[in-house]
Amino acid sequence: MTLPPLFWKGVSLSRKPTFQICGKLAFLIYPLYAPGVKAIWRKMIDSFGREIDYLRISVTDRCNLRCVYCMPAHGIIHKQPSDILSFEQIYSIVKAAVGLGIRKVRITGGEPLVRKDLPALIAELKTINGLKEICLTTNGIYLSEYALAIKEAGLDRINISLDSLNKEKFRKITQGGNLEMVLSGIDRALAAGLAPLKINNVLLKDFNTDEIADFANLTKARPLHVRFIEYMPTGLHGFCADVLGLGHGSYDDIFLSAQEAKNICRSVGELEPVEQGTADTAEVFKIRGFLGSVGFISPISRPFCASCNKLRLTSEGRLRNCLHSSKTIDLKKAFANNNSQDELAALIQEAISLKPEFHNLPGHHKDEKNNPLVPIGLEAENFSMCQIGG
């Protein structure tokens, strides 16, 4: 097992780290010393040597848009409010997770800004000792209204999902969305100090291919960081292709690789590599002379499972150890059973111990037989992204 190095600016080890085994999990226990501070810092290592330090939290299954690659044609059956995790329950889960080694939290949905009093949750999470970063992913529709409030509550970074800069195409892919509201939200977020700001763009062949250069040019004069993301098969590609008028409804009809997007970005200017951490999913570049950056996320053509550091908590309290697996641990039940924080932490450890080595999506290769990501006899699972907070 390859153990990660320790990087902690201004802090020294008071003793050598210890290595503990708990079931299928490994923990590196670092006794830390800094002026006036004595603490225990844990690193949680899964069965395949990956450090798990990132938790994505869906705070609602509701959304104010109906993006065709995310929301099924028939919609979804929304959970009752009583079935959704309360802010107090989310706080307890995050506190237990941070005690195990989680350092970064991302708030997602549905659309997280439709959840009432979201800034209050951010402020509460910010009080958890050891949590280093709180981020949020939004579609941007309500961002103008909430940008300053979430920044003042303690939000560190924000990602905005945006797949077209054309008003009509945006309306079509979101089934009714208003592009101007999103662009205004971006302006307000930057003005509030939420920079650098990332824009997530899902690549859809023959729908937004002609806009890749336009998105890259957004990074020229402002601290915007565009991430081009390969579309993953979620069982909705037929509906997606039908609404957008793309091909005959097969996945191949709408799949565009991140490499193809990178080639188009090269027409905008010279791409200069930006060094990233080992767990970062994007291959990032700056276009020479530009302020922001462009990045390419390739879950299909160049999977990054070997460095996956994430857990996902659904809005109804199910902990998923892989976006593409239906295997979950029910944490909401722990509250019904009045479980202690230690028992809650044990459930989180169980989820990590079951984390698979690879996702089970088929790789986008001509020779599927040589794709190591789908074990023989294991079918890829269909799911609705709006219910998971992917």
Side-chain angles (χ1 to χ4, degrees):
M1 179 183 296
T2 301
L3 300 179
L6 171 65
F7 296 102
W8 190 279
K9 187 175 180 180
V11 178
S12 61
L13 291 177
S14 57
R15 299 191 307 275
K16 290 183 178 180
T18 59
F19 186 60
Q20 296 181 4
I21 301 295
C22 179
K24 294 182 179 179
L25 297 182
F27 291 93
L28 281 174
I29 312 298
Y30 289 98
L32 302 181
Y33 173 78
V37 176
K38 289 185 178 180
I40 295 295
W41 177 37
R42 306 183 90 183
K43 280 192 173 186
M44 188 157 44
I45 313 298
D46 77 356
S47 308
F48 304 99
R50 299 170 296 199
E51 181 186 355
I52 311 302
D53 61 1
Y54 181 10
L55 176 64
R56 297 176 66 102
I57 303 169
S58 171
V59 296
T60 180
D61 63 343
R62 297 174 186 269
C63 189
N64 50 355
L65 297 180
R66 296 177 58 86
C67 297
V68 295
Y69 56 77
C70 182
M71 182 76 70
H74 51 75
I76 64 169
I77 299 174
H78 291 296
K79 301 292 183 182
Q80 295 299 312
S82 60
D83 295 328
I84 301 297
L85 288 173
S86 68
F87 284 173
E88 292 79 9
Q89 290 169 336
I90 292 172
Y91 176 88
S92 293
I93 291 170
V94 173
K95 188 173 182 180
V98 170
L100 294 172
I102 292 296
R103 295 291 170 258
K104 175 181 175 181
V105 160
R106 178 172 298 280
I107 299 171
T108 69
E111 166 50 42
L113 292 180
V114 306
R115 179 78 185 257
K116 185 179 179 181
D117 297 327
L118 186 69
L121 173 64
I122 295 170
E124 281 298 306
L125 295 180
K126 200 69 177 179
T127 67
I128 298 176
N129 185 35
L131 183 59
K132 301 301 178 184
E133 189 173 47
I134 303 175
C135 310
L136 179 118
T137 295
T138 173
N139 60 33
I141 294 293
Y142 291 160
L143 191 53
S144 287
E145 180 181 351
Y146 285 103
L148 185 59
I150 57 179
K151 173 61 178 177
E152 290 179 344
L155 189 73
D156 295 298
R157 291 196 299 111
I158 194 165
N159 288 21
I160 298 173
S161 300
L162 180 60
D163 301 316
S164 179
L165 297 171
N166 177 287
K167 291 181 182 179
E168 285 306 307
K169 287 166 69 175
F170 181 83
R171 182 193 58 77
K172 180 179 286 189
I173 195 170
T174 60
Q175 300 190 84
N178 185 326
L179 176 63
E180 291 302 321
M181 293 180 72
V182 180
L183 298 180
S184 175
I186 291 173
D187 292 339
R188 290 293 293 273
L190 290 175
L194 287 167
L197 183 152
K198 287 184 182 178
I199 295 175
N200 294 337
N201 178 271
V202 175
L203 297 167
L204 297 167
K205 185 167 61 178
D206 296 331
F207 177 76
N208 56 9
T209 312
D210 61 340
E211 297 187 67
I212 291 173
D214 294 333
F215 273 95
N217 275 307
L218 291 178
T219 72
K220 185 172 185 177
R222 298 202 288 176
L224 298 176
H225 301 264
V226 177
R227 298 294 179 260
F228 297 102
I229 306 171
E230 291 178 348
Y231 172 63
M232 295 175 288
T234 61
L236 298 179
H237 47 269
F239 172 59
C240 181
D242 183 56
V243 172
L244 302 181
L246 303 175
H248 302 288
S250 73
Y251 178 67
D252 282 347
D253 284 334
I254 57 179
F255 177 82
L256 183 77
S257 73
Q259 180 61 49
E260 292 172 274
K262 187 194 302 183
N263 291 339
I264 293 172
C265 286
R266 286 196 173 100
S267 69
V268 177
E270 182 180 350
L271 300 183
E272 301 175 335
V274 176
E275 187 175 349
Q276 298 292 292
T278 56
D280 288 316
T281 56
E283 185 184 13
V284 181
F285 300 84
K286 288 183 74 72
I287 298 175
R288 175 164 292 188
F290 283 27
L291 183 60
S293 69
V294 293
F296 307 92
I297 300 177
S298 314
I300 303 302
S301 63
R302 294 181 61 184
F304 36 80
C305 299
S307 60
C308 181
N309 63 338
K310 301 179 186 69
L311 293 175
R312 286 174 169 82
L313 180 66
T314 68
S315 58
E316 70 270 27
R318 293 191 171 274
L319 193 61
R320 302 176 72 108
N321 53 32
C322 176
L323 173 62
H324 308 287
S325 171
S326 61
K327 297 180 178 65
T328 62
I329 299 293
D330 189 351
L331 297 187
K332 198 170 194 304
K333 187 181 295 185
F335 295 102
N337 295 336
N338 294 315
N339 287 28
S340 67
Q341 280 290 105
D342 287 343
E343 290 169 321
L344 191 60
L347 290 174
I348 297 171
Q349 292 176 15
E350 181 182 353
I352 296 173
S353 72
L354 298 173
K355 187 172 175 66
E357 185 174 8
F358 301 112
H359 66 54
N360 60 357
L361 289 176
H364 198 71
H365 309 289
K366 294 184 181 297
D367 184 4
E368 287 292 322
K369 294 180 180 179
N370 292 328
N371 175 21
L373 298 179
V374 186
I376 295 174
L378 181 60
E379 295 183 358
E381 298 172 31
N382 293 334
F383 56 91
S384 175
M385 197 75 78
C386 62
Q387 294 175 303
I388 299 173

